[in-house]
Every structure is written in structure tokens, then in C-alpha cells.
């Protein structure tokens, strides 16, 4: 665990609040980590993914072992330092090295697990979950020949198409699907301009453990209707992702991370005024006074009786005096 000092100034407190978990999170950034050694294939994969996202931080570190006890310290430190929730880690060596809501990516290459790529997420700058995949049949962006006018624009939001029943029935592929969506999600927006959507990631489940990932550009053509006809042009990269190992989040941590903001209940007959503040209306039903039962114990009636008794005695005195 990363030790966090208590802030001593208001400025430090504000900075910690910016990095703290929020009910409505901002866009996630990605941390790309290189280990002691990396293979040429993994270097090319990470270079292409960096080109597609452009919100990454790249770092080299030799002491990252997310799956081992005590090996998560360096990873969590870099996550806290760069404020990244998605991480990609890449390492090559004789031993088995691995990587881990910030997203990170970690790559490794060994005889037992060649071209190993680990995708992971953190919550509150602690490891949330991990997915380890092997990269096979990789084709880089430079190997594709196409009209450069169709190249996707920087910062555009992509479509995702998941083809195959294994994405619904196999837990490992469900987990990988969530990780890929988080990786290329970007900023959350409410509306999209159709002309600005210019790319799509096509993920095909070839088998219960293998997914073919393909990046395509969208070409809009006339269709005779208000909805244009779309054609896919493969622009790269493309690769086979073979699921190897994974770690699911703990139930308590998942419940905390999936917490959403409570919607305030709308109060009837209440309005807010910028000057007078909170105002409310109270509706009183019609009072049918004529039908109300009046008791004889009302103070007003007692007073009237005393006054009537005095007047009666006074009239009697006047009659006696006249006689």
C-alpha cells in the first residue's frame, strides 16, 4: 500500500480532493508501463495504442509485480502520481512478470508466455482487477495501405462491435470486454455528431479464449435516406488476444466502486427563488363552517352568557325601582 501523508495546507487538501474517488468520475487516463526488457511486437502494440488514445503516460520500471505479494506498490505509486486509472505494462525476461477503475497496461515476453500484455484498472489508486492476454498475428498501422483521408481524427469516439456468443457466456471474455470498453471510452458525452464518428473497433470471439481485435475507419456514403450507408475500411492495428489469466475485483471493492449518485426526489409545491430562497405552497381545503358542530364549552359563548345574565339582572332592578 502507498502511504499518504496528511495535507498541511489548503492547497494540498484541494489537490487530494481532485484525485479522490467521485460519484461522477472524469475521463480515465491510461498508464503504459515498460519493464526491464520488451519485445519488438509489444513495443509496436503499445506505440499503436498510444497513437490511438493520446491520453497515456509512458513509464519504465523494473519492480512491478502486480500478481505477486508486495509487487503492487510501484504500480499503485505510479497510478497515484499520474492520476491514471487504466494501466498497460510490458516486460520481457526469464521470470514471469505481470501487470494489473485508473487503467493500466503491462507487457511481458517469456518462453512460457510470449508477447504477454496485461490490462488492469485501479480504484482509489489500488489494484481493482487484471486481465492477462497474449498477442498473436499482430499487424501494425504502418502495414495497412489506404486513403489517408479516411484516417480517424484524433480524439474521436469509436464504435464497438462485439461479435460472438462467447462474450455473453464466457466470464473471461465478459471481463475482457469491460476492460476494452474502459480503455477506449474517453470522456463521457451526452450527444454525438454522426459525422464526427469515424472509426469502429470490431471484436470477434473466435473461441472461448481468443478474440480477434480489428480497428476500422468508417466511410459514410449516400443511401437515399436520412441515414447514410457505412462502409468499413481496415486501417489497423489488428491482433488476436488470447486470454491467459485474470483477477476479478473483490465483492466489497466492486460494490464501493459501482456506487452511483442518488437522484434527489422531486418535492411537490416547492420552488427556489434566487432572492427569497426556498419557497413552498400550502393548500388548505374549503372549510364548511355552517356544518361544523359547536360545543357549549367555548369561552366566547360563556362570556356572552355572563353578559346576558348581567343585562337581565339590571333590567329587573330597573323594574323594581319604577314600581
Amino acid at each position: 500500500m502507498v502511504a499518504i501523508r496528511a495535507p498541511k495546507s489548503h492547497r494540498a487538501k484541494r489537490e487530494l480532493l481532485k484525485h479522490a474517488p467521485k460519484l461522477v468520475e472524469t475521463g480515465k487516463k491510461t498508464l503504459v508501463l515498460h519493464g526491464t526488457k520488451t519485445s519488438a511486437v509489444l513495443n509496436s502494440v503499445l506505440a499503436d495504442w498510444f497513437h490511438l488514445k493520446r491520453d497515456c503516460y509512458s513509464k519504465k520500471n523494473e519492480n512491478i509485480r502486480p500478481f505477486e505479494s508486495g509487487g503492487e506498490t510501484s504500480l499503485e505509486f505510479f497510478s497515484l502520481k499520474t492520476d491514471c486509472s487504466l494501466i498497460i505494462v510490458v516486460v520481457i525476461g526469464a521470470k514471469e512478470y505481470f501487470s494489473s477503475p485508473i487503467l493500466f497496461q503491462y507487457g511481458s515476453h517469456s518462453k512460457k508466455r510470449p508477447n504477454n500484455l496485461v490490462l488492469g484498472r485501479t480504484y482509489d489508486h489500488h489494484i481493482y482487477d487484471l486481465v492477462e492476454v497474449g498477442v498473436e498475428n499482430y499487424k501494425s498501422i504502418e502495414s495497412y495501405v489506404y486513403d489517408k483521408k479516411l484516417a480517424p481524427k484524433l480524439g474521436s469516439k469509436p464504435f464497438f462491435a462485439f461479435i460472438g456468443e462467447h462474450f455473453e457466456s464466457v466470464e473471461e471474455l465478459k471481463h475482457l470486454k469491460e476492460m476494452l470498453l474502459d480503455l477506449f471510452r474517453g470522456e463521457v458525452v451526452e450527444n454525438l455528431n454522426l459525422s464526427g464518428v469515424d472509426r469502429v473497433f470490431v471484436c470477434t470471439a473466435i473461441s472461448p479464449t481468443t478474440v480477434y481485435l480489428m480497428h476500422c475507419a468508417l466511410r459514410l456514403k449516400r443511401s437515399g435516406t436520412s441515414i447514410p450507408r457505412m462502409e468499413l475500411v481496415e486501417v489497423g492495428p489488428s491482433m488476436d488476444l488470447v486470454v491467459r489469466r485474470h483477477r476479478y475485483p473483490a465483492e466489497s471493492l466492486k460494490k464501493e466502486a459501482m456506487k452511483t449518485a442518488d437522484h434527489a426526489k422531486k418535492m411537490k409545491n416547492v420552488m427556489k427563488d434566487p432572492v427569497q430562497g426556498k419557497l413552498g405552497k400550502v393548500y388548505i381545503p374549503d372549510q364548511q363552517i355552517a356544518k361544523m358542530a359547536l360545543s357549549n364549552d367555548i369561552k366566547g359563548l360563556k362570556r356572552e352568557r355572563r353578559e346576558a345574565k348581567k343585562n337581565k339582572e339590571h333590567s329587573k332592578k330597573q323594574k323594581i325601582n319604577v314600581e
Side-chain angles (χ1 to χ4, degrees):
M1 295 293 181
V2 181
I4 301 176
R5 297 179 183 177
K8 297 181 180 180
S9 62
H10 291 288
R11 183 178 180 182
K13 290 180 181 178
R14 290 195 297 269
E15 288 298 323
L16 286 180
L17 287 175
K18 290 181 182 178
H19 293 264
K22 307 175 184 64
L23 288 175
V24 181
E25 290 285 357
T26 55
K28 298 179 181 179
K29 294 180 289 187
T30 305
L31 177 62
V32 180
L33 294 176
H34 298 259
T36 308
K37 297 178 182 179
T38 54
S39 64
V41 173
L42 289 178
N43 283 337
S44 182
V45 170
L46 295 181
D48 286 348
W49 283 16
F50 182 87
H51 175 74
L52 294 175
K53 285 184 62 64
R54 293 294 178 93
D55 63 346
C56 307
Y57 292 89
S58 182
K59 201 77 177 177
K60 185 175 181 179
N61 188 272
E62 302 178 2
N63 301 317
I64 300 174
R65 311 285 189 274
F67 280 115
E68 299 178 10
S69 60
E72 303 174 350
T73 306
S74 298
L75 192 58
E76 293 174 351
F77 170 76
F78 285 127
S79 171
L80 178 63
K81 187 175 180 180
T82 59
D83 192 23
C84 292
S85 59
L86 306 174
I87 306 174
I88 306 175
V89 192
V90 183
V91 178
I92 177 173
K95 296 182 180 180
E96 300 175 15
Y97 301 116
F98 312 99
S99 69
S100 27
I102 291 173
L103 174 62
F104 65 89
Q105 300 174 336
Y106 183 89
S108 64
H109 179 78
S110 62
K111 292 182 179 179
K112 188 175 182 180
R113 292 184 174 89
N115 297 327
N116 208 42
L117 186 65
V118 181
L119 310 177
R121 295 179 289 183
T122 64
Y123 175 74
D124 196 14
H125 306 293
H126 299 299
I127 300 301
Y128 180 74
D129 59 352
L130 301 169
V131 174
E132 181 186 73
V133 296
V135 179
E136 299 178 358
N137 303 324
Y138 170 72
K139 294 179 67 176
S140 65
I141 296 177
E142 298 176 353
S143 62
Y144 287 89
V145 179
Y146 59 93
D147 187 0
K148 298 302 179 182
K149 295 180 180 180
L150 298 176
K153 298 177 182 177
L154 182 64
S156 62
K157 295 187 74 66
F159 281 129
F160 262 89
F162 292 93
I163 304 172
E165 61 182 8
H166 297 302
F167 284 114
E168 303 298 330
S169 58
V170 181
E171 293 296 328
E172 289 81 357
L173 295 191
K174 285 183 181 180
H175 196 189
L176 179 61
K177 177 182 176 181
E178 293 179 4
M179 200 73 70
L180 291 175
L181 288 175
D182 248 354
L183 178 62
F184 295 99
R185 180 183 182 185
E187 295 289 340
V188 179
V189 296
E190 296 181 356
N191 298 314
L192 277 178
N193 188 355
L194 185 60
S195 60
V197 181
D198 55 2
R199 57 180 173 146
V200 59
F201 286 94
V202 181
C203 304
T204 306
I206 302 175
S207 69
T209 59
T210 305
V211 174
Y212 175 61
L213 176 65
M214 178 175 58
H215 180 224
C216 299
L218 286 177
R219 178 185 293 176
L220 302 181
K221 289 192 173 185
R222 295 179 180 178
S223 62
T225 62
S226 58
I227 301 176
R229 181 169 59 90
M230 294 186 179
E231 288 186 356
L232 301 184
V233 179
E234 193 169 359
V235 296
S238 65
M239 66 196 81
D240 289 338
L241 300 178
V242 182
V243 179
R244 291 172 177 168
R245 296 193 301 177
H246 57 88
R247 184 206 294 180
Y248 294 123
E251 288 298 326
S252 58
L253 184 62
K254 184 178 180 180
K255 185 177 180 180
E256 184 180 355
M258 301 294 280
K259 188 184 297 182
T260 58
D262 294 331
H263 297 285
K265 294 182 179 179
K266 187 177 180 181
M267 299 180 66
K268 294 183 178 180
N269 305 323
V270 176
M271 64 184 68
K272 291 185 179 180
D273 187 86
V275 178
Q276 298 179 352
K278 195 173 183 179
L279 301 176
K281 293 182 179 180
V282 179
Y283 290 90
I284 301 176
D286 295 337
Q287 296 182 0
Q288 299 178 358
I289 300 176
K291 296 182 179 180
M292 292 178 64
L294 300 178
S295 64
N296 296 327
D297 298 332
I298 300 176
K299 292 183 179 180
L301 293 177
K302 291 180 179 180
R303 185 173 61 249
E304 291 179 359
R305 291 170 184 168
R306 288 195 299 267
E307 291 177 356
K309 188 176 181 180
K310 289 180 180 180
N311 294 334
K312 188 176 181 180
E313 292 177 353
H314 183 67
S315 61
K316 285 183 178 180
K317 288 178 180 180
Q318 287 181 350
K319 288 180 181 182
I320 293 170
N321 292 333
V322 171
E323 294 177 349

